């Protein structure tokens, strides 16, 4: 028997224990081991019942996702589940940790399920662009009906053991001694002469076919754009569970699974899953992070208040610093509003809010940070202002404290130089709105100490954020790519597209908002100030589009001023603005550009190529460690459609040659912006993809 599955017999009960760290994924050795274990249990006359359990931190958390796309190796998971269900002796699954996906399908194939109270169960396959493919779509609705089964499978969200028991998905919840209790249940079942209870024969959830069909229809009607393949196929499978005999339903599910697992959408989502985990593999991963119990935040604006709010949520003591009483009161008020919103959304209780509030302090002087372990400066993006703050921090903070800036663009090495402790200085770049945005760019300066980097990553983990390591440059990873994206979009405006067309094309690509909608939301003045700051360094050969500047000169800063690329009414609804179109036409005319008709495909190609080319440059410059880190930044911070996996993954799917050729087509228009990054030639020469650079 394979080592990935252990086997002991006690009190006439075979205890089959999966042991495949870290999450007991159901790779080939585990599947083989389970099938063998069931066969031995059948044959061994001492065995009267079977318990399937798992060693380590969790019951299997799913199929081994790394095996998808590789040639299948027998036995397949559906077969494993069938063998378990067909066992002539009662089989009990003992669940702890996170029994997810294929792991939970194994449990569903067992005849009884008991769980630790802390266990979570679920069918998250949809988040990977697939569906439960080992009988989950057929067995789940048999137990709990279509409505609940669809909720589990379409949201992919795990539920707690108590809830699972209340809906009839599991049979018992225990506080501790899971294995002993599972064995005791097995002994009791055997003593009472209870045989197997196959889920395939159960109809608990199908007693009301009218309600079942109504749930199917409601789910179909509720499918939202973008129409990814998996959700629709999940609904079809749950319908098949009602309409077809069990074995035919399984075959139906298998065909749907195969379609989904080979779809580009699933490839993108699986790439995103591994990319997010890979981002934590940094050169400093083995360093011990500095302990952080007390954090300071300088600046109580939307960013600073948001940062304070999430730090409080992670259990830290927080001191918020502002320049005067009014500003401080405003900052604290902003934190309070965020806490109220969290309560309204059910993310926090009033008791938790009160406990957090007791850990929040306000002060007007950085002297209050003398004992803090870490400080995050989040004031207005002004180099002199920030440098002044860092000088003061250097003066007051204790040795070993981490000095972080939330700057989006400025040179962290320069800020570090104004202090006497550049090794303690780092960038922690949060995204707005801070509670909602998953991304944290950890910007590592030339002299940042390795354990300070590890501290940034550890903090991100505590805050539930995805950290990505970035080097110092103007805009780091995300804003460099955003700038390239916007530049390509601006070229399109000047050449004949409208902002509304560009936005619609990029929404159809999968972004929740187009680039001009985002600009209007965040304020046009921010990028205007940056362009003014960089005006002296601009390459005269580069094409410069001044449309954004003209809007700002007219006082149209976006949503906050009622006008930007769109016009906003009192209720905040946006409409297209003929005056903006006239302004764009005037800019074109001034440059002697004749507007041409531009199709949506061209808009998407140009925006994608701009992002990918900038990503390739970031790799070449060593700003990003690997292509998948760039993807994570764009997914977690900039609304790039997750099912496309990120720009570098999209480029891999399109093919390197095609991207390079498109860039070569555009390069005549602007030899600086569109020049293909150096690494393309080499990649094409050796037939490499970006994903080949991801490991490590
Ligand atoms: N297959 C392969 N590797 C997996 C895996 C899986 N199903 N689940 C997790 N891992 C790996 C991770 O990549 C990571 O590897 P690394 O250490 O090399 O980076 C390691 O296990 C630990 O994972 P996390 O860092 O995510 O650990 P956490 O403790 O934060 O989270 C978890 C644990 C909640 C189980 C989380 O890993 C998770 O959500 N896993 C995916 C669950 C899932 O989607 N299951 C369904 C799979 S598809 C399926 O079962 C198809 C079936 O229906 C046929």
């Amino acid at each position: 028997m394979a080592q990935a599955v252990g086997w002991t017999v006690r009190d006439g009960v075979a205890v089959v224990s999966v042991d495949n760290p870290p999450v007991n994924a159901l790779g080939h050795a585990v599947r083989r081991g389970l099938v063998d274990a069931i066969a031995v249990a059948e044959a061994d006359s001492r065995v009267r019942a079977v318990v399937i359990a798992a060693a380590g931190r969790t019951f299997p958390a799913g199929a081994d996702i790394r095996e998808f796309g590789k040639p299948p190796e027998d036995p397949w998971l559906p077969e494993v589940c069938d063998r378990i269900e067909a066992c002539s002796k009662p089989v009990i699954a003992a669940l702890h940790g996170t029994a997810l996906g294929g792991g939970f399908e194994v449990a569903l194939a067992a005849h009884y399920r008991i769980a630790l109270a802390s266990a979570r169960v679920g069918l998250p396959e949809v988040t990977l662009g697939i569906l439960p493919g080992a009988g989950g779509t057929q067995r789940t609705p048999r137990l709990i009906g279509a409505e609940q089964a669809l909720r589990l499978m379409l949201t992919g969200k795990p539920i707690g053991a108590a809830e699972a028991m209340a809906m009839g998905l599991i049979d018992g919840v225990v506080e501790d001694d899971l294995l002993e209790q599972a064995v005791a249940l097995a002994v009791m079942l055997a003593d009472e002469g209870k045989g197997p209870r196959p889920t395939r024969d159960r109809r608990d959830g199908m007693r009301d076919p009218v309600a079942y069909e109504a749930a199917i229809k409601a789910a179909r009607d509720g499918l939202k754009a973008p129409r990814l393949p998996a959700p629709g196929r999940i609904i079809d499978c749950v319908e098949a569970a009602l309409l077809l005999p069990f074995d035919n339903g399984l075959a139906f599910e298998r065909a749907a699974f195969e379609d989904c697992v080979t779809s580009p959408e699933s490839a993108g989502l699986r790439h995103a899953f591994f990319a997010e985990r890979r981002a934590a593999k940094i050169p400093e991963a083995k360093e011990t992070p500095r302990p952080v119990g007390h954090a300071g935040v300088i600046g109580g604006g939307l960013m600073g208040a948001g940062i304070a709010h999430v730090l409080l949520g992670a259990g830290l003591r927080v001191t918020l610093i502002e320049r005067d009483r009014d500003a401080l009161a405003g900052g604290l008020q902003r934190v309070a509003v965020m806490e109220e919103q969290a309560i309204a959304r059910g993310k926090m209780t009033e008791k938790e809010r009160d406990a957090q509030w007791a850990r929040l302090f306000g002060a007007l002087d950085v002297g209050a940070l003398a004992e803090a372990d870490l400080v995050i400066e989040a004031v207005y993006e002004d180099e002199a202002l920030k440098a002044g703050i860092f000088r003061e921090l250097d003066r007051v903070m204790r040795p070993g404290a981490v000095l972080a800036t939330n700057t989006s663009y400025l040179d962290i090495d320069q800020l570090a130089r104004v202090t006497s402790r550049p090794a303690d200085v780092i960038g922690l770049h949060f995204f707005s709105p801070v509670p909602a945005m998953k991304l944290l760019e950890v910007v590592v300066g030339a002299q940042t100490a390795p354990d300070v980097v590890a501290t940034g990553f550890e903090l991100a983990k505590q805050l539930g954020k995805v950290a990505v390591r970035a080097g110092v440059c103007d805009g780091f990873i995300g804003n460099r790519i955003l700038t390239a994206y916007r530049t390509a979009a601006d070229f399109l405006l000047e050449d004949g597209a409208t902002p509304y067309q560009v936005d619609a094309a990029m929404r159809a690509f999968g972004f929740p908002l187009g680039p001009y909608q985002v600009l209007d939301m965040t304020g046009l003045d921010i990028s205007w100030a940056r362009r003014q700051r960089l005006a002296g360094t601009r390459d005269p050969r580069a094409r410069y589009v001044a449309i954004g500047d003209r809007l700002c000169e007219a006082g149209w800063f976006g949503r906050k001023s009622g006008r930007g690329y769109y016009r906003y009414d009192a209720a905040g609804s946006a409409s297209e603005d003929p005056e903006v179109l006239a302004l764009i036409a005037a800019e074109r005319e001034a440059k002697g550009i004749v507007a041409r008709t531009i199709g949506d495909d061209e808009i998407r190609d140009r925006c994608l190529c701009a992002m990918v080319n900038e990503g390739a440059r970031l790799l070449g410059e060593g700003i990003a460690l690997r292509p998948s880190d760039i993807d994570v930044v764009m997914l977690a911070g900039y609304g790039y459609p997750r099912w496309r996996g990120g720009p570098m993954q999209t480029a891999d799917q399109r093919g390197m040659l095609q991207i390079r050729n498109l860039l070569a087509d555009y390069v005549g228009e602007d030899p600086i912006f569109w020049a293909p990054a150096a690494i393309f030639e080499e990649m094409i020469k050796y037939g490499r993809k970006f994903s080949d650079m991801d490991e490590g």
Side-chain angles (χ1 to χ4, degrees), residues 491 495 541-543 596 602 606 609-610 613 617 658-678 680-681:
F491 289 177
D495 288 342
R541 293 166 304 160
R543 177 176 176 183
R596 63 184 178 87
E602 182 179 345
R606 284 177 178 260
C609 283
N613 200 27
R617 287 178 185 153
Q658 203 185 110
I659 301 285
R660 199 273 317 262
N661 288 350
L662 283 169
L663 288 168
D665 286 349
Y666 309 148
V667 76
E669 300 164 18
D670 181 336
I672 310 286
F673 181 74
W674 287 120
F680 279 113
E681 278 319 309

mmCIF file of all heavy atoms in Angstrom, residues 491 495 541-543 596 602 606 609-610 613 617 658-678 680-681:
data_model
loop_
_atom_site.group_PDB
_atom_site.id
_atom_site.type_symbol
_atom_site.label_atom_id
_atom_site.label_comp_id
_atom_site.label_asym_id
_atom_site.label_seq_id
_atom_site.Cartn_x
_atom_site.Cartn_y
_atom_site.Cartn_z
ATOM 1 N N PHE A 491 -3.385 57.126 -26.567
ATOM 2 C CA PHE A 491 -3.039 57.112 -27.999
ATOM 3 C C PHE A 491 -4.294 56.794 -28.826
ATOM 4 O O PHE A 491 -4.539 57.381 -29.880
ATOM 5 C CB PHE A 491 -1.971 56.056 -28.306
ATOM 6 C CG PHE A 491 -0.582 56.375 -27.790
ATOM 7 C CD1 PHE A 491 0.456 55.453 -27.953
ATOM 8 C CD2 PHE A 491 -0.290 57.580 -27.164
ATOM 9 C CE1 PHE A 491 1.742 55.718 -27.486
ATOM 10 C CE2 PHE A 491 0.990 57.863 -26.701
ATOM 11 C CZ PHE A 491 2.008 56.924 -26.852
ATOM 12 N N ASP A 495 -6.151 58.924 -31.727
ATOM 13 C CA ASP A 495 -6.211 58.378 -33.087
ATOM 14 C C ASP A 495 -7.638 58.174 -33.598
ATOM 15 O O ASP A 495 -7.833 57.841 -34.762
ATOM 16 C CB ASP A 495 -5.448 57.042 -33.149
ATOM 17 C CG ASP A 495 -3.943 57.259 -33.056
ATOM 18 O OD1 ASP A 495 -3.503 58.403 -33.292
ATOM 19 O OD2 ASP A 495 -3.221 56.296 -32.735
ATOM 20 N N ARG A 541 11.382 62.496 -27.817
ATOM 21 C CA ARG A 541 10.948 61.683 -28.968
ATOM 22 C C ARG A 541 9.648 60.945 -28.681
ATOM 23 O O ARG A 541 9.018 60.385 -29.556
ATOM 24 C CB ARG A 541 12.019 60.641 -29.311
ATOM 25 C CG ARG A 541 13.316 61.231 -29.843
ATOM 26 C CD ARG A 541 14.404 60.182 -29.836
ATOM 27 N NE ARG A 541 14.580 59.624 -28.487
ATOM 28 C CZ ARG A 541 15.152 58.460 -28.217
ATOM 29 N NH1 ARG A 541 15.583 57.689 -29.172
ATOM 30 N NH2 ARG A 541 15.277 58.049 -26.962
ATOM 31 N N ALA A 542 9.267 60.891 -27.384
ATOM 32 C CA ALA A 542 8.089 60.105 -27.017
ATOM 33 C C ALA A 542 6.821 60.882 -27.351
ATOM 34 O O ALA A 542 6.781 62.109 -27.256
ATOM 35 C CB ALA A 542 8.124 59.780 -25.525
ATOM 36 N N ARG A 543 5.802 60.169 -27.756
ATOM 37 C CA ARG A 543 4.523 60.790 -28.084
ATOM 38 C C ARG A 543 3.832 61.204 -26.785
ATOM 39 O O ARG A 543 3.775 60.404 -25.846
ATOM 40 C CB ARG A 543 3.667 59.777 -28.849
ATOM 41 C CG ARG A 543 2.288 60.265 -29.194
ATOM 42 C CD ARG A 543 1.568 59.206 -30.028
ATOM 43 N NE ARG A 543 0.193 59.612 -30.301
ATOM 44 C CZ ARG A 543 -0.675 58.857 -30.955
ATOM 45 N NH1 ARG A 543 -0.313 57.655 -31.402
ATOM 46 N NH2 ARG A 543 -1.910 59.284 -31.156
ATOM 47 N N ARG A 596 -9.350 57.879 -37.223
ATOM 48 C CA ARG A 596 -9.656 56.670 -37.979
ATOM 49 C C ARG A 596 -10.590 55.797 -37.141
ATOM 50 O O ARG A 596 -10.704 55.983 -35.922
ATOM 51 C CB ARG A 596 -8.383 55.906 -38.354
ATOM 52 C CG ARG A 596 -7.588 55.396 -37.186
ATOM 53 C CD ARG A 596 -6.297 54.726 -37.654
ATOM 54 N NE ARG A 596 -5.519 54.271 -36.492
ATOM 55 C CZ ARG A 596 -5.669 53.109 -35.894
ATOM 56 N NH1 ARG A 596 -6.569 52.250 -36.329
ATOM 57 N NH2 ARG A 596 -4.924 52.793 -34.851
ATOM 58 N N GLU A 602 -8.827 45.908 -31.648
ATOM 59 C CA GLU A 602 -7.576 46.675 -31.673
ATOM 60 C C GLU A 602 -7.355 47.365 -30.316
ATOM 61 O O GLU A 602 -6.230 47.407 -29.812
ATOM 62 C CB GLU A 602 -7.583 47.698 -32.808
ATOM 63 C CG GLU A 602 -6.262 48.456 -32.847
ATOM 64 C CD GLU A 602 -6.167 49.490 -33.965
ATOM 65 O OE1 GLU A 602 -6.979 49.455 -34.901
ATOM 66 O OE2 GLU A 602 -5.265 50.339 -33.864
ATOM 67 N N ARG A 606 -4.008 46.565 -28.164
ATOM 68 C CA ARG A 606 -3.034 47.611 -27.826
ATOM 69 C C ARG A 606 -2.883 47.746 -26.312
ATOM 70 O O ARG A 606 -1.766 47.877 -25.805
ATOM 71 C CB ARG A 606 -3.440 48.943 -28.453
ATOM 72 C CG ARG A 606 -3.147 48.995 -29.942
ATOM 73 C CD ARG A 606 -3.620 50.300 -30.533
ATOM 74 N NE ARG A 606 -3.299 50.363 -31.956
ATOM 75 C CZ ARG A 606 -2.252 51.026 -32.459
ATOM 76 N NH1 ARG A 606 -1.454 51.690 -31.673
ATOM 77 N NH2 ARG A 606 -2.016 51.022 -33.756
ATOM 78 N N CYS A 609 -0.966 44.668 -25.095
ATOM 79 C CA CYS A 609 0.460 44.713 -25.463
ATOM 80 C C CYS A 609 1.211 45.727 -24.610
ATOM 81 O O CYS A 609 2.353 45.481 -24.206
ATOM 82 C CB CYS A 609 0.618 45.067 -26.936
ATOM 83 S SG CYS A 609 0.258 43.670 -27.995
ATOM 84 N N ALA A 610 0.563 46.860 -24.340
ATOM 85 C CA ALA A 610 1.236 47.883 -23.521
ATOM 86 C C ALA A 610 1.523 47.323 -22.128
ATOM 87 O O ALA A 610 2.618 47.501 -21.578
ATOM 88 C CB ALA A 610 0.371 49.135 -23.431
ATOM 89 N N ASN A 613 4.228 44.483 -22.357
ATOM 90 C CA ASN A 613 5.553 45.024 -22.673
ATOM 91 C C ASN A 613 6.157 45.695 -21.438
ATOM 92 O O ASN A 613 7.344 45.516 -21.129
ATOM 93 C CB ASN A 613 5.421 46.034 -23.817
ATOM 94 C CG ASN A 613 6.727 46.280 -24.532
ATOM 95 O OD1 ASN A 613 7.599 45.386 -24.555
ATOM 96 N ND2 ASN A 613 6.899 47.463 -25.081
ATOM 97 N N ARG A 617 9.472 44.652 -19.299
ATOM 98 C CA ARG A 617 10.541 45.591 -18.914
ATOM 99 C C ARG A 617 10.813 45.492 -17.408
ATOM 100 O O ARG A 617 11.970 45.526 -16.975
ATOM 101 C CB ARG A 617 10.141 47.025 -19.256
ATOM 102 C CG ARG A 617 10.196 47.293 -20.747
ATOM 103 C CD ARG A 617 9.746 48.709 -21.035
ATOM 104 N NE ARG A 617 9.683 48.916 -22.474
ATOM 105 C CZ ARG A 617 8.890 49.784 -23.065
ATOM 106 N NH1 ARG A 617 8.082 50.543 -22.359
ATOM 107 N NH2 ARG A 617 8.895 49.910 -24.368
ATOM 108 N N GLN A 658 3.085 36.470 -31.306
ATOM 109 C CA GLN A 658 1.997 37.373 -31.671
ATOM 110 C C GLN A 658 2.134 38.715 -30.943
ATOM 111 O O GLN A 658 1.958 39.767 -31.548
ATOM 112 C CB GLN A 658 0.662 36.721 -31.317
ATOM 113 C CG GLN A 658 -0.457 37.295 -32.139
ATOM 114 C CD GLN A 658 -1.802 36.754 -31.712
ATOM 115 O OE1 GLN A 658 -2.586 37.494 -31.153
ATOM 116 N NE2 GLN A 658 -2.045 35.476 -31.934
ATOM 117 N N ILE A 659 2.484 38.651 -29.664
ATOM 118 C CA ILE A 659 2.634 39.903 -28.896
ATOM 119 C C ILE A 659 3.782 40.735 -29.490
ATOM 120 O O ILE A 659 3.656 41.929 -29.721
ATOM 121 C CB ILE A 659 2.915 39.605 -27.399
ATOM 122 C CG1 ILE A 659 1.784 38.774 -26.772
ATOM 123 C CG2 ILE A 659 3.198 40.882 -26.616
ATOM 124 C CD1 ILE A 659 0.506 39.503 -26.482
ATOM 125 N N ARG A 660 4.905 40.054 -29.745
ATOM 126 C CA ARG A 660 6.067 40.782 -30.286
ATOM 127 C C ARG A 660 5.726 41.391 -31.650
ATOM 128 O O ARG A 660 6.070 42.527 -31.948
ATOM 129 C CB ARG A 660 7.265 39.833 -30.379
ATOM 130 C CG ARG A 660 8.620 40.516 -30.478
ATOM 131 C CD ARG A 660 9.061 40.875 -31.894
ATOM 132 N NE ARG A 660 8.793 39.826 -32.865
ATOM 133 C CZ ARG A 660 9.665 38.948 -33.285
ATOM 134 N NH1 ARG A 660 10.876 38.957 -32.809
ATOM 135 N NH2 ARG A 660 9.331 38.054 -34.209
ATOM 136 N N ASN A 661 4.990 40.616 -32.479
ATOM 137 C CA ASN A 661 4.649 41.132 -33.808
ATOM 138 C C ASN A 661 3.713 42.336 -33.737
ATOM 139 O O ASN A 661 3.849 43.283 -34.515
ATOM 140 C CB ASN A 661 4.013 40.028 -34.663
ATOM 141 C CG ASN A 661 5.047 38.998 -35.076
ATOM 142 O OD1 ASN A 661 6.255 39.211 -34.879
ATOM 143 N ND2 ASN A 661 4.599 37.870 -35.609
ATOM 144 N N LEU A 662 2.767 42.302 -32.803
ATOM 145 C CA LEU A 662 1.886 43.461 -32.641
ATOM 146 C C LEU A 662 2.697 44.678 -32.225
ATOM 147 O O LEU A 662 2.531 45.773 -32.763
ATOM 148 C CB LEU A 662 0.800 43.159 -31.589
ATOM 149 C CG LEU A 662 -0.357 42.266 -32.064
ATOM 150 C CD1 LEU A 662 -1.210 41.830 -30.873
ATOM 151 C CD2 LEU A 662 -1.224 42.975 -33.093
ATOM 152 N N LEU A 663 3.611 44.461 -31.260
ATOM 153 C CA LEU A 663 4.460 45.580 -30.814
ATOM 154 C C LEU A 663 5.265 46.131 -31.991
ATOM 155 O O LEU A 663 5.405 47.347 -32.154
ATOM 156 C CB LEU A 663 5.406 45.116 -29.697
ATOM 157 C CG LEU A 663 4.757 44.851 -28.339
ATOM 158 C CD1 LEU A 663 5.725 44.119 -27.412
ATOM 159 C CD2 LEU A 663 4.305 46.156 -27.686
ATOM 160 N N ALA A 664 5.756 45.222 -32.823
ATOM 161 C CA ALA A 664 6.550 45.652 -33.978
ATOM 162 C C ALA A 664 5.686 46.474 -34.945
ATOM 163 O O ALA A 664 6.162 47.427 -35.564
ATOM 164 C CB ALA A 664 7.153 44.436 -34.681
ATOM 165 N N ASP A 665 4.387 46.120 -35.035
ATOM 166 C CA ASP A 665 3.483 46.907 -35.889
ATOM 167 C C ASP A 665 3.297 48.326 -35.364
ATOM 168 O O ASP A 665 3.140 49.264 -36.112
ATOM 169 C CB ASP A 665 2.082 46.260 -35.922
ATOM 170 C CG ASP A 665 2.049 45.013 -36.767
ATOM 171 O OD1 ASP A 665 3.044 44.764 -37.482
ATOM 172 O OD2 ASP A 665 1.040 44.282 -36.706
ATOM 173 N N TYR A 666 3.265 48.445 -34.033
ATOM 174 C CA TYR A 666 2.965 49.755 -33.440
ATOM 175 C C TYR A 666 4.203 50.646 -33.312
ATOM 176 O O TYR A 666 4.076 51.856 -33.133
ATOM 177 C CB TYR A 666 2.389 49.617 -32.025
ATOM 178 C CG TYR A 666 1.226 48.656 -31.854
ATOM 179 C CD1 TYR A 666 1.061 47.946 -30.657
ATOM 180 C CD2 TYR A 666 0.269 48.467 -32.864
ATOM 181 C CE1 TYR A 666 -0.005 47.073 -30.477
ATOM 182 C CE2 TYR A 666 -0.797 47.593 -32.682
ATOM 183 C CZ TYR A 666 -0.923 46.894 -31.493
ATOM 184 O OH TYR A 666 -1.962 46.033 -31.312
ATOM 185 N N VAL A 667 5.386 50.051 -33.353
ATOM 186 C CA VAL A 667 6.585 50.765 -32.909
ATOM 187 C C VAL A 667 6.856 52.039 -33.718
ATOM 188 O O VAL A 667 7.391 53.013 -33.198
ATOM 189 C CB VAL A 667 7.807 49.823 -32.835
ATOM 190 C CG1 VAL A 667 8.362 49.510 -34.210
ATOM 191 C CG2 VAL A 667 8.876 50.378 -31.919
ATOM 192 N N GLY A 668 6.419 52.054 -34.974
ATOM 193 C CA GLY A 668 6.633 53.231 -35.827
ATOM 194 C C GLY A 668 5.933 54.462 -35.268
ATOM 195 O O GLY A 668 6.351 55.600 -35.503
ATOM 196 N N GLU A 669 4.843 54.232 -34.506
ATOM 197 C CA GLU A 669 4.062 55.363 -33.988
ATOM 198 C C GLU A 669 4.749 56.052 -32.818
ATOM 199 O O GLU A 669 4.493 57.208 -32.530
ATOM 200 C CB GLU A 669 2.690 54.877 -33.497
ATOM 201 C CG GLU A 669 1.866 54.235 -34.590
ATOM 202 C CD GLU A 669 0.715 53.436 -33.992
ATOM 203 O OE1 GLU A 669 0.367 53.659 -32.822
ATOM 204 O OE2 GLU A 669 0.190 52.570 -34.707
ATOM 205 N N ASP A 670 5.548 55.298 -32.103
ATOM 206 C CA ASP A 670 6.284 55.853 -30.961
ATOM 207 C C ASP A 670 7.414 54.891 -30.618
ATOM 208 O O ASP A 670 7.202 53.868 -29.984
ATOM 209 C CB ASP A 670 5.360 56.031 -29.754
ATOM 210 C CG ASP A 670 6.103 56.643 -28.561
ATOM 211 O OD1 ASP A 670 7.346 56.510 -28.497
ATOM 212 O OD2 ASP A 670 5.449 57.256 -27.715
ATOM 213 N N PRO A 671 8.624 55.217 -31.078
ATOM 214 C CA PRO A 671 9.736 54.274 -30.929
ATOM 215 C C PRO A 671 10.141 54.054 -29.473
ATOM 216 O O PRO A 671 10.836 53.082 -29.161
ATOM 217 C CB PRO A 671 10.866 54.941 -31.696
ATOM 218 C CG PRO A 671 10.502 56.386 -31.768
ATOM 219 C CD PRO A 671 9.019 56.466 -31.735
ATOM 220 N N ILE A 672 9.689 54.917 -28.565
ATOM 221 C CA ILE A 672 10.050 54.729 -27.163
ATOM 222 C C ILE A 672 9.022 53.819 -26.490
ATOM 223 O O ILE A 672 9.350 52.757 -25.968
ATOM 224 C CB ILE A 672 10.075 56.086 -26.397
ATOM 225 C CG1 ILE A 672 10.897 57.119 -27.137
ATOM 226 C CG2 ILE A 672 10.515 55.888 -24.943
ATOM 227 C CD1 ILE A 672 12.366 56.934 -27.079
ATOM 228 N N PHE A 673 7.767 54.251 -26.571
ATOM 229 C CA PHE A 673 6.734 53.525 -25.833
ATOM 230 C C PHE A 673 6.550 52.107 -26.343
ATOM 231 O O PHE A 673 6.423 51.163 -25.572
ATOM 232 C CB PHE A 673 5.404 54.301 -25.910
ATOM 233 C CG PHE A 673 4.298 53.633 -25.151
ATOM 234 C CD1 PHE A 673 4.276 53.663 -23.761
ATOM 235 C CD2 PHE A 673 3.281 52.943 -25.806
ATOM 236 C CE1 PHE A 673 3.271 53.032 -23.043
ATOM 237 C CE2 PHE A 673 2.279 52.319 -25.102
ATOM 238 C CZ PHE A 673 2.267 52.360 -23.710
ATOM 239 N N TRP A 674 6.505 51.954 -27.666
ATOM 240 C CA TRP A 674 6.166 50.639 -28.212
ATOM 241 C C TRP A 674 7.384 49.740 -28.470
ATOM 242 O O TRP A 674 7.224 48.624 -28.962
ATOM 243 C CB TRP A 674 5.359 50.784 -29.507
ATOM 244 C CG TRP A 674 3.940 51.246 -29.313
ATOM 245 C CD1 TRP A 674 3.377 52.380 -29.835
ATOM 246 C CD2 TRP A 674 2.881 50.590 -28.584
ATOM 247 N NE1 TRP A 674 2.051 52.475 -29.471
ATOM 248 C CE2 TRP A 674 1.718 51.388 -28.702
ATOM 249 C CE3 TRP A 674 2.807 49.419 -27.831
ATOM 250 C CZ2 TRP A 674 0.502 51.053 -28.111
ATOM 251 C CZ3 TRP A 674 1.593 49.085 -27.240
ATOM 252 C CH2 TRP A 674 0.458 49.891 -27.368
ATOM 253 N N ALA A 675 8.572 50.215 -28.162
ATOM 254 C CA ALA A 675 9.756 49.366 -28.414
ATOM 255 C C ALA A 675 9.624 48.059 -27.631
ATOM 256 O O ALA A 675 9.465 48.088 -26.417
ATOM 257 C CB ALA A 675 11.010 50.102 -27.977
ATOM 258 N N PRO A 676 9.677 46.901 -28.305
ATOM 259 C CA PRO A 676 9.520 45.649 -27.571
ATOM 260 C C PRO A 676 10.628 45.484 -26.537
ATOM 261 O O PRO A 676 11.791 45.778 -26.814
ATOM 262 C CB PRO A 676 9.631 44.573 -28.656
ATOM 263 C CG PRO A 676 9.364 45.273 -29.949
ATOM 264 C CD PRO A 676 9.829 46.688 -29.755
ATOM 265 N N ALA A 677 10.252 45.029 -25.342
ATOM 266 C CA ALA A 677 11.239 44.817 -24.273
ATOM 267 C C ALA A 677 12.290 43.815 -24.741
ATOM 268 O O ALA A 677 11.987 42.905 -25.535
ATOM 269 C CB ALA A 677 10.548 44.300 -23.019
ATOM 270 N N ALA A 678 13.492 43.994 -24.224
ATOM 271 C CA ALA A 678 14.626 43.188 -24.705
ATOM 272 C C ALA A 678 14.378 41.688 -24.550
ATOM 273 O O ALA A 678 14.807 40.896 -25.395
ATOM 274 C CB ALA A 678 15.884 43.609 -23.943
ATOM 275 N N PHE A 680 11.963 39.795 -25.104
ATOM 276 C CA PHE A 680 11.114 39.078 -26.070
ATOM 277 C C PHE A 680 11.940 38.244 -27.044
ATOM 278 O O PHE A 680 11.638 37.094 -27.312
ATOM 279 C CB PHE A 680 10.235 40.056 -26.855
ATOM 280 C CG PHE A 680 9.013 40.476 -26.100
ATOM 281 C CD1 PHE A 680 8.856 41.773 -25.666
ATOM 282 C CD2 PHE A 680 8.007 39.559 -25.799
ATOM 283 C CE1 PHE A 680 7.729 42.161 -24.960
ATOM 284 C CE2 PHE A 680 6.878 39.937 -25.088
ATOM 285 C CZ PHE A 680 6.736 41.244 -24.663
ATOM 286 N N GLU A 681 12.986 38.874 -27.596
ATOM 287 C CA GLU A 681 13.766 38.183 -28.631
ATOM 288 C C GLU A 681 14.300 36.864 -28.104
ATOM 289 O O GLU A 681 14.196 35.826 -28.735
ATOM 290 C CB GLU A 681 14.924 39.067 -29.117
ATOM 291 C CG GLU A 681 14.534 40.097 -30.147
ATOM 292 C CD GLU A 681 13.552 39.591 -31.196
ATOM 293 O OE1 GLU A 681 13.793 38.527 -31.807
ATOM 294 O OE2 GLU A 681 12.515 40.253 -31.396
#
